Amino acid sequence: MLEKLFGRRKERADKRVRQFILWFDELTIADVGLVGGKNASLGEMYQTLTKKGMRIPNGFAITAHAYRYLLEKTGIEREMRKVLQGLNVKNVRDLSERGRQVRQLIRHAEFPEELRTMIVDAYVKLSKKYGKKAVDVAVRSSATAEDLPEASFAGQQETFLNIHSEHDLIDACKDCFASLFTNRAISYRVEKGFDHFDVALSIGVQKMVRSDMACSGVMFTLDTETGFRDAVFVTGSWGLGENIVQGAVNPDEYYVFKPTLRQGFESLISKTLGSKEKTMIYSIEGSKPVKNIDTPKEKQEVFCLSDEEVLELAKWGCMIEEHYTQKKGHWTPMDIEWAKDGELNKLFIVQARPETVQSQKKTNFLEEYRLKQKGKVLIEGKSVGSKIASGLAHVIRDVKDMAKFKAGEILVTEMTDPDWVVIMKQASAIITDKGGRTSHAAIVSRELGLPCVVGTNNATRTLATGQKITISCAEGDVGKVYEGLLRFGVEKTNLEHVERPKTKVMMNVGNPEEAFELSFLPNDGVGLAREEFIINSYIQIHPMALLKYDRLDEDVKIKIDALTKGYENKARFFVDKLAQGIAMISAAFYPKDVIVRVSDFKTNEYANLIGGAAFEPKEENPMIGWRGASRYYNAGYKEAFALECKALKKVRDEMGLKNVKVMIPMCRTVDEGRKVLKVMAENGLARGKNGLEVYVMCELPANVVLADQFSELFDGFSIGSNDLTQTTLGIDRDSALIADLFDERNEAVKRLVEYAITQVKEHKRKIGICGDAPSTYPEFAEFLVKCGIDSISLSPDAVLKTTIVINNAEKKYRR
């Protein structure tokens, strides 16, 4: 009888504890109303994905019942309601004062003894699990209404790190509960129509990962700027992760391509080194549990993750996304925090929530912002979004000056945290000194639909309050701030109304940073991916200078060393950077064809690269001199071309992007074509192996006249209308004196184009065009359709309007 009585008492006691404390290994997504989205997700992942090899630190959730129990037992809810009555959230001073009063009420409330005991008992139990007297934990807030598709409460409440005593844990819990009434949280609830007392707060108590001794960061399972869904975007920096979330550092950035990662390839398609100026570590002395120190220069100059670790994180990101996509029945991209334990030398997932900005956007409408004026660039940083805004700058260095900010101004500050949200909502654009694309400023700007430039380093020192500026995020990865109020326009297109023609409409793409965004245009792939932009912008160094580094002058070596930090093998730098640039373009359009033209600089352009002057001859007319195919088998460049081949091989064989085709420019003779193909095969790029197709530019009369013979060597042709016009009419297209005679519509050029199309198709090879003519002249595009061309590759800004021309031409000529 007594055993039954005590058993029932224990059952009731356990049930009561479970009202307030739930362990990650017993949580389910059904508990989301009790523990919030983040804690429910952690519990769900802990029970399912750790069985598949993912590592997640153990812990427990203090449920929303505990928060409501605190309000009920202490009787402070009535006072809180009284303080908030009649609040105007647009009045920054009023909001700040009332928020402070409510937070003080919660912090000074006496914790009910039974609640305190349950929390402490759970903490003791967690400490025993890790074999410690007082385990170090992270204490994270999780609002019970957070991460809804229409309202992300992410970042609204607080997180406290390196909590390692019972007393500090209770204080941290009070601070978490109080953070439900920060200024930004109050304002956000009002904006989204939530009653302050319908939203409760849960707390996650989780074993700390010792990333203070290693690194940490944020990972999204889509591209945060464009919504491109086939990439995992990883950011990382040394130390604890709050610096990245707060935007206090410019982190390392990595992109991994999901489709070929799932096929088993090492699809790390991009790496960008961040400056990582600060490192957050445990604080042994003082009242604060963590502190920031300056990152040693040698650590700033190396990546915080190995390639293998980035790929492991990306695989986990895909696992998490797939888990929640299957569970919810629709695509669910995720926003994930990770950390590396410096003691264990292992990676962990510490938090995950659904991404709620890009995943909610409609992709059937295309909105394009374009500057209509040019101006002086004042500063540059990383662009967030793709919009343009102009207005008056307002530099604010301290949160206490927020009340001076006026609606419609452009906010300029060192960095933002959630306390800044109130005025961020009033801004027309945002510029910060610090932070990356996963910083607070970037995340909030996306949610608000504002253009934002982060990581400028010196915006607050360069710009002045009241200064007229224009901020442009419409020019790729680099966000620019211009002097003055520049004119700009916006074009909106309903892509559902764009009819697809039979003729393939492809694109000319040079800048890898624009590739993800451009992939949303109606297209059939990339007809011309130029290596020159990648070499000029990302590498900047002549490949022979990297191969012959020891022979260079000291001043040239200093320039090269600054660009090739972390590379002992200088030639490897060229291969890696070129491969990453090509891979970003190829991944954006996968599995559609991406035709990559190998380098086609003229000698004077090669000479302008760092170290290039020592390896390039001076020519009277470089336009028709030592360029294109003639370089690739020549002793003066053959070794450098081998690096290009290695980069292309890496993209296809290691990253799995077999949609890449290779195109040879300026191939003057059939024999020259054989020589180039032989060199390519010697460097692992044999035509036909692993499905490799090799194209040739049709840009010389010789290519047209001998199209039958070139067809025996190459799989396809691409008409270069610029050079074909130049060589047909005998016009140097760099000469201003005879520029008026240059016209691709000249009858001689058109006859050659028509003959080339006829001959190539007779020999059952593919033929397209990548020159400017169809982008510039609608009538030339119509002419090409009439001739029966297979594909037309256009500049991105001409794709939509020329597609309409092609559709009309196909109807006219019954194609």
Side-chain angles (χ1 to χ4, degrees):
M1 186 73 179
L2 283 173
E3 286 179 7
K4 286 184 179 179
L5 178 63
F6 285 124
R8 283 196 296 271
R9 284 179 180 174
K10 183 178 185 303
E11 187 179 321
R12 284 197 297 271
D14 289 345
K15 190 174 181 180
R16 190 175 187 197
V17 168
R18 200 177 187 280
Q19 274 191 308
F20 298 117
I21 304 293
L22 286 170
W23 288 86
F24 289 166
D25 56 11
E26 61 185 8
L27 271 173
T28 70
I29 205 71
D31 295 314
V32 67
L34 285 177
V35 299
K38 285 183 289 190
N39 287 331
S41 294
L42 274 174
E44 182 89 11
M45 292 190 302
Y46 191 88
Q47 294 166 60
T48 56
L49 299 183
T50 52
K51 295 174 184 176
K52 298 180 180 180
M54 189 181 299
R55 287 183 288 274
I56 300 171
N58 205 349
F60 59 90
I62 302 168
T63 73
H65 284 320
Y67 168 74
R68 292 193 169 97
Y69 189 74
L70 173 69
L71 298 193
E72 178 190 330
K73 281 292 183 180
T74 56
I76 61 173
E77 183 176 333
R78 183 179 299 174
E79 294 177 68
M80 292 163 64
R81 287 182 181 272
K82 187 177 178 181
V83 171
L84 293 170
Q85 191 173 5
L87 170 65
N88 177 8
V89 294
K90 293 184 179 179
N91 185 326
V92 177
R93 285 194 177 92
D94 187 37
L95 173 62
S96 181
E97 176 55 28
R98 295 201 201 201
R100 184 191 65 79
Q101 290 180 36
V102 173
R103 293 192 295 275
Q104 287 295 91
L105 285 170
I106 296 173
R107 288 192 180 109
H108 292 148
E110 188 64 34
F111 242 58
E113 187 57 36
E114 59 273 29
L115 181 57
R116 177 191 294 268
T117 300
M118 290 179 195
I119 293 171
V120 168
D121 286 350
Y123 175 67
V124 170
K125 183 178 176 181
L126 183 65
S127 297
K128 287 180 179 177
K129 281 188 176 184
Y130 283 95
K132 295 189 177 184
K133 184 178 178 181
V135 69
D136 48 337
V137 293
V139 182
R140 304 179 191 276
S141 309
S142 182
T144 55
E146 72 182 350
D147 302 326
L148 302 174
E150 69 278 5
S152 168
F153 281 70
Q156 298 294 319
Q157 284 77 48
E158 303 287 356
T159 294
F160 302 93
L161 304 177
N162 189 25
I163 304 300
H164 51 266
S165 75
E166 296 170 8
H167 176 269
D168 289 346
L169 175 58
I170 297 300
D171 279 352
C173 288
K174 282 188 177 183
D175 286 335
C176 279
F177 287 144
S179 74
L180 193 57
F181 290 90
T182 56
N183 300 345
R184 75 269 185 178
I186 295 170
S187 174
Y188 195 83
R189 285 195 294 272
V190 170
E191 180 192 332
K192 296 295 182 181
F194 286 87
D195 185 283
H196 295 302
F197 296 92
D198 285 345
V199 178
L201 191 129
S202 159
I203 298 171
V205 180
Q206 185 181 42
K207 167 69 177 78
M208 281 287 292
V209 176
R210 292 303 302 270
S211 57
D212 61 305
M213 303 169 67
C215 57
S216 57
V218 178
M219 167 170 59
F220 285 84
T221 60
L222 49 50
D223 177 41
T224 54
E225 300 315 305
T226 64
F228 180 74
R229 61 169 60 196
D230 281 337
V232 177
F233 178 47
V234 181
T235 63
S237 190
W238 299 114
L240 300 170
E242 286 302 290
N243 276 342
I244 289 184
V245 175
Q246 293 169 3
V249 294
N250 296 327
D252 297 336
E253 295 182 350
Y254 313 83
Y255 280 102
V256 179
F257 187 52
K258 290 189 219 170
T260 55
L261 178 72
R262 293 188 181 109
Q263 295 169 28
F265 291 98
E266 296 177 359
S267 57
L268 175 52
I269 59 174
S270 178
K271 292 169 61 177
T272 305
L273 188 69
S275 50
K276 308 181 292 293
E277 306 94 334
K278 298 288 181 182
T279 300
M280 186 177 284
I281 61 171
Y282 281 14
S283 179
I284 299 172
E285 301 172 353
S287 58
K288 293 185 177 180
V290 296
K291 66 178 181 180
N292 261 323
I293 60 171
D294 292 333
T295 306
K297 190 175 181 184
E298 61 270 19
K299 292 187 75 174
Q300 290 186 44
E301 294 179 353
V302 295
F303 287 99
C304 65
L305 288 169
S306 68
D307 291 358
E308 292 74 20
E309 288 170 332
V310 176
L311 293 169
E312 183 176 19
L313 284 173
K315 288 173 186 175
W316 287 356
C318 290
M319 286 168 61
I320 295 169
E321 180 185 88
E322 287 162 7
H323 176 81
Y324 284 102
T325 294
Q326 184 176 7
K327 194 165 190 70
K328 296 191 176 191
H330 59 81
W331 178 53
T332 307
M334 300 296 289
D335 169 358
I336 303 160
E337 293 182 27
W338 62 269
K340 181 180 177 181
D341 194 302
E343 290 182 331
L344 302 174
N345 198 34
K346 290 181 178 178
L347 294 165
F348 290 83
I349 298 298
V350 296
Q351 193 166 296
R353 65 174 76 87
E355 194 275 348
T356 57
V357 179
Q358 291 290 353
S359 57
Q360 302 304 309
K361 287 186 177 179
K362 293 180 179 179
T363 57
N364 56 325
F365 277 90
L366 181 70
E367 189 177 66
E368 293 182 282
Y369 280 71
R370 298 188 194 284
L371 278 175
K372 293 184 176 180
Q373 285 180 282
K374 292 184 178 180
K376 178 184 177 183
V377 177
L378 300 175
I379 49 172
E380 294 182 345
K382 292 181 178 178
S383 62
V384 176
S386 58
K387 295 182 178 180
I388 300 172
S390 59
L392 302 180
H394 194 138
V395 181
I396 297 183
R397 293 184 173 85
D398 196 298
V399 71
K400 66 180 173 57
D401 296 322
M402 285 197 305
K404 299 175 184 178
F405 190 82
K406 296 176 183 177
E409 292 180 322
I410 296 175
L411 175 62
V412 183
T413 187
E414 183 180 20
M415 64 184 202
T416 67
D417 61 35
D419 287 327
W420 291 76
V421 172
V422 178
I423 64 167
M424 293 171 79
K425 291 175 182 176
Q426 301 175 38
S428 60
I430 296 166
I431 305 167
T432 68
D433 289 343
K434 298 180 179 179
R437 290 198 184 89
T438 54
S439 65
H440 177 267
I443 290 169
V444 174
S445 294
R446 284 187 207 102
E447 187 164 326
L448 296 175
L450 299 177
C452 174
V453 177
V454 296
T456 63
N457 294 319
N458 61 351
T460 55
R461 297 189 300 276
T462 304
L463 304 177
T465 296
Q467 184 176 2
K468 294 177 181 178
I469 58 172
T470 298
I471 172 174
S472 173
C473 295
E475 301 171 64
D477 185 60
V478 178
K480 298 178 181 180
V481 179
Y482 293 93
E483 186 175 56
L485 305 178
L486 304 184
R487 288 184 294 109
F488 63 91
V490 186
E491 292 181 16
K492 294 183 180 180
T493 306
N494 187 340
L495 299 180
E496 290 180 350
H497 297 160
V498 179
E499 185 182 347
R500 301 299 302 140
K502 292 180 182 178
T503 307
K504 287 188 175 182
V505 178
M506 306 178 84
M507 263 188 282
N508 298 338
V509 180
N511 186 351
E513 293 161 4
E514 296 177 346
F516 287 168
E517 182 77 39
L518 294 176
S519 71
F520 289 96
L521 286 168
N523 72 86
D524 295 298
V526 176
L528 174 63
R530 301 179 179 91
E531 283 189 6
E532 295 85 51
F533 184 93
I534 301 168
I535 295 171
N536 251 333
S537 301
Y538 293 91
I539 299 172
Q540 301 177 41
I541 307 164
H542 196 290
M544 291 301 293
L546 292 167
L547 286 162
K548 310 295 181 183
Y549 175 81
D550 293 339
R551 302 182 193 174
L552 302 175
D553 294 338
E554 283 305 313
D555 60 330
V556 177
K557 285 183 178 179
I558 291 169
K559 291 179 182 178
I560 292 176
D561 289 344
L563 290 168
T564 59
K565 291 171 185 174
Y567 280 90
E568 288 186 24
N569 183 333
K570 302 299 182 183
R572 181 63 186 269
F573 170 78
F574 184 94
V575 173
D576 286 353
K577 288 297 180 184
L578 182 56
Q580 288 166 24
I582 294 169
M584 285 290 284
I585 298 172
S586 307
F589 294 88
Y590 184 89
K592 299 170 186 174
D593 289 351
V594 173
I595 302 170
V596 179
R597 187 181 69 189
V598 288
S599 65
D600 190 26
F601 286 121
K602 302 184 286 291
T603 49
N604 57 322
E605 293 168 338
Y606 272 114
N608 287 333
L609 295 170
I610 295 171
F615 300 95
E616 296 296 331
K618 290 184 179 180
E619 295 185 292
E620 291 299 322
N621 191 349
M623 184 66 79
I624 55 172
W626 192 39
R627 59 175 283 212
S630 60
R631 297 181 68 94
Y632 310 145
Y633 57 87
N634 186 287
Y637 191 80
K638 187 177 178 180
E639 286 180 84
F641 182 63
L643 299 183
E644 294 185 44
C645 292
K646 287 178 182 177
L648 286 158
K649 180 176 169 58
K650 182 174 182 176
V651 172
R652 285 179 51 85
D653 295 354
E654 294 181 27
M655 299 180 187
L657 291 160
K658 291 188 168 57
N659 59 324
V660 168
K661 303 177 188 302
V662 181
M663 184 155 67
I664 308 302
M666 200 56 66
C667 189
R668 295 171 172 90
T669 69
V670 175
D671 186 55
E672 191 168 57
R674 292 192 186 94
K675 290 178 181 178
V676 172
L677 290 173
K678 183 174 182 291
V679 174
M680 287 176 62
E682 289 169 356
N683 288 284
L685 283 180
R687 178 187 166 217
K689 187 176 180 181
N690 290 329
L692 174 63
E693 292 187 1
V694 183
Y695 282 41
V696 66
M697 289 290 294
C698 185
E699 55 192 343
L700 302 167
N703 302 139
V704 178
V705 174
L706 298 179
D708 56 335
Q709 295 182 35
F710 280 102
S711 293
E712 294 175 7
L713 295 181
F714 296 102
D715 299 287
F717 293 68
S718 185
I719 298 167
S721 56
N722 295 343
D723 274 320
L724 185 59
T725 303
Q726 172 179 246
T727 52
T728 301
L729 301 180
I731 294 173
D732 182 347
R733 55 191 172 97
D734 281 350
S735 173
L737 294 173
I738 51 174
D740 60 312
L741 295 174
F742 188 93
D743 190 339
E744 297 98 321
R745 296 167 296 177
N746 182 282
E747 187 60 28
V749 178
K750 290 175 69 177
R751 288 191 185 187
L752 284 174
V753 167
E754 185 173 12
Y755 183 75
I757 294 171
T758 303
Q759 286 296 300
V760 171
K761 290 176 78 71
E762 277 185 14
H763 288 82
K764 295 182 170 41
R765 291 289 185 257
K766 289 170 274 190
I767 184 163
I769 187 169
C770 61
D772 289 334
S775 296
T776 307
Y777 306 113
E779 66 271 29
F780 200 90
E782 182 177 333
F783 161 73
L784 293 169
V785 173
K786 182 183 178 182
C787 292
I789 200 162
D790 294 316
S791 64
I792 298 176
S793 194
L794 305 158
S795 58
D797 61 348
V799 166
L800 292 173
K801 64 181 181 183
T802 309
T803 297
I804 295 170
V805 172
I806 293 169
N807 274 321
N808 292 335
E810 287 187 349
K811 291 171 185 174
K812 183 176 178 179
Y813 299 110
R814 300 182 185 277
R815 278 202 69 185

